[in-house]
Amino acid sequence: MRLERVELLHVALPLVTPFRTSFGTMTSKDTFLLRVVTDEAEGWSEFAADPEPLYCSEFVAGAETVIRDFLLPRVAALPEPTTAAVAPAMAAVKGHELAKAAVETALLDAELRAYGMPIATFLGSVRDRVPAGVSVGIKNSLPELIDDVEKYLDEGYVRIKLKIEPGWDVEPVRAVRERFGDALPLQVDANTAYTLADAPHLRKLDAFDLLLIEEPLAENNLHAHARLQRRLTTPVCLDESIHTASDAASAIAMDACRVINVKPARVGGYTEARRIHDIATAHGVPVWCGGMLETGIGRAPNLALAALPGFTLPGDTSASKRYFAEDITEPFVLVDGHLPVPTTPGIGISPLPDTLARFTTSTRVLYGGARKL
Ligand code: SMG
Ligand code: MG
């Protein structure tokens, strides 16, 4: 397989409803897609972060520079840009996992399309559909929250995640438990909004039998998360703090978490995500697939990952209409609380050309011939 061209397409898709977290409010998904062209097939991927470095340190304009100036030259220097060779070639560049994931995934898509192999087969997925959870943002009032949760449960979502922050934590959880009962699979995500000094307050959540509390403390502070876990019965789940399989191994060894949110983008791509699944599963630690409000391009391969055997908790892999009135791919539709695992070669989906053109705000050629797009 020979790399011929890499194109970057900026896209902007309005969200159907603003999504508020402890670090800000999103009203649209503004990111870029990569399209790689090889002599055998083309491949697609989506950069998972946003224009501002608020969820993580990476951001759209920075990732574009890193990919163009540091990652693609290393990949292009390979005799063949196979999936096995790409991550080692990029390893000298520190960090930038989400940018690396975009490069690896586009090439993986091209390679698997050339083989005629679906990503689910490549990863070792064992299910043809996966249960869908939904992440519910911070609201202005409890009645508004209850209405939203009710709507999602009516649509069939099998698990609810509430975004929390200081001042919006125990009361929303109590309200949802009182309205929907103790049997509802329920979890919370703080996106690093608390400190260890909040442990006595966070302990109040133990009364609500939550599946987990996600990333309550500062990113990368495994020690503080381990100390918090000792004081909570609710399992701590790490998201932002896990960048590599080595981080996952350390966190498990320190009892800094009892559950891991695996986002392939956050860990540099699907090969590292698979390693984290393997390590966690070997230690009896459940994993689940997180989300970054992806378009169908990012969502399709996440569904394949979520079908691995160790993904025993429902993911934030929701249906397309939870995010967008119109997606740039065929939409993923919830059936009986589940989404289908894609079965066609590669990541299992392609952009719809006309729709993509409408949502594309600009394009660049990052590598190869400057042929007009
Ligand atoms: O894709 O449904 C989704 C979003 C799920 O809550 C979600 N993601 O910390 O897990 C998380 C957040 C990160 C993105 S917030 C902009
Ligand atoms: Mg999270």
Side-chain angles (χ1 to χ4, degrees):
M1 188 167 84
R2 200 179 65 248
L3 184 61
E4 293 181 344
R5 201 164 65 248
V6 181
E7 299 163 0
L8 180 149
L9 298 85
H10 288 116
V11 293
L13 283 78
L15 295 176
V16 288
T17 168
F19 186 58
R20 180 173 155 204
T21 68
S22 61
F23 59 83
T25 303
M26 279 178 67
T27 55
S28 70
K29 182 72 198 180
D30 289 13
T31 188
F32 61 80
L33 306 182
L34 288 185
R35 173 175 179 252
V36 302
V37 181
T38 75
D39 56 334
E40 296 183 31
E42 68 170 21
W44 289 91
S45 69
E46 173 174 345
F47 177 66
D50 303 306
E52 292 183 89
L54 302 180
Y55 162 79
C56 65
S57 62
E58 293 184 64
F59 60 103
V60 168
E64 182 174 339
T65 303
V66 167
I67 291 172
R68 186 193 60 217
D69 294 350
F70 304 118
L71 300 181
L72 289 180
R74 287 171 165 82
V75 170
L78 288 167
E80 215 187 341
T82 59
T83 304
V86 165
M90 297 190 295
V93 176
K94 302 279 194 299
H96 296 284
E97 287 83 9
L98 288 92
K100 290 174 179 173
V103 173
E104 189 197 77
T105 304
L107 286 160
L108 174 63
D109 187 28
E111 192 179 10
L112 292 175
R113 284 179 201 234
Y115 290 152
M117 181 188 285
I119 189 171
T121 309
F122 170 77
L123 292 171
S125 310
V126 294
R127 290 184 281 267
D128 58 10
R129 58 177 206 156
V130 293
V134 62
S135 176
V136 184
I138 294 166
K139 303 290 165 185
N140 292 322
S141 70
L142 293 176
E144 206 183 312
L145 175 69
I146 295 297
D147 280 357
D148 259 42
V149 171
E150 183 151 45
K151 181 184 74 144
Y152 289 131
L153 292 176
D154 287 347
E155 289 175 20
Y157 286 101
V158 301
R159 178 277 270 154
I160 298 291
K161 164 166 132 179
L162 302 182
K163 288 291 191 180
I164 60 167
E165 66 180 3
W168 181 266
D169 43 35
V170 176
E171 290 318 314
V173 168
R174 187 194 314 281
V176 169
R177 272 281 178 250
E178 280 177 1
R179 172 66 183 80
F180 302 104
D182 294 339
L184 171 68
L186 183 64
Q187 63 194 53
V188 293
D189 185 359
N191 290 108
T192 76
Y194 296 87
T195 72
L196 207 44
D198 296 310
H201 180 69
L202 293 174
R203 273 179 80 138
K204 294 180 192 156
L205 293 172
D206 282 345
F208 300 101
D209 195 23
L210 300 176
L211 289 168
L212 56 92
I213 177 170
E214 187 177 341
E215 200 76 22
L217 309 178
E219 176 173 340
N220 300 337
N221 196 336
L222 297 185
H223 177 67
H225 280 102
R227 288 179 65 188
L228 179 67
Q229 180 67 88
R230 285 208 293 274
R231 299 174 68 176
L232 300 182
T233 57
T234 304
V236 170
C237 170
L238 290 177
D239 171 0
E240 287 92 329
S241 291
I242 305 294
H243 309 275
T244 62
S246 164
D247 290 344
S250 300
I252 292 168
M254 291 171 65
D255 197 22
C257 67
R258 295 182 181 165
V259 183
I260 296 176
N261 168 340
V262 183
K263 290 177 181 163
R266 199 196 60 230
V267 303
Y270 287 87
T271 49
E272 193 74 358
R274 167 83 219 210
R275 277 185 210 111
I276 293 175
H277 162 273
D278 294 349
I279 288 170
T281 305
H283 286 85
V285 170
V287 298
W288 56 281
C289 184
M292 292 295 290
L293 305 132
E294 288 96 344
T295 74
I297 294 295
R299 188 163 314 281
N302 280 353
L303 292 168
L305 183 78
L308 288 172
F311 282 74
T312 53
L313 293 170
D316 282 345
T317 42
S318 309
S320 306
K321 77 168 199 183
R322 180 257 174 270
Y323 309 98
F324 313 113
E326 187 180 14
D327 202 341
I328 54 174
T329 63
E330 290 293 345
F332 284 97
V333 179
L334 205 60
V335 177
D336 191 22
H338 290 67
L339 291 183
V341 174
T343 54
T344 53
I347 61 169
I349 206 154
S350 299
L352 300 167
D354 294 345
T355 319
L356 175 61
R358 270 192 288 117
F359 287 110
T360 299
T361 53
S362 62
T363 57
R364 317 229 195 289
V365 177
L366 297 188
Y367 174 78
R371 191 163 71 90
K372 192 161 164 40
L373 297 178

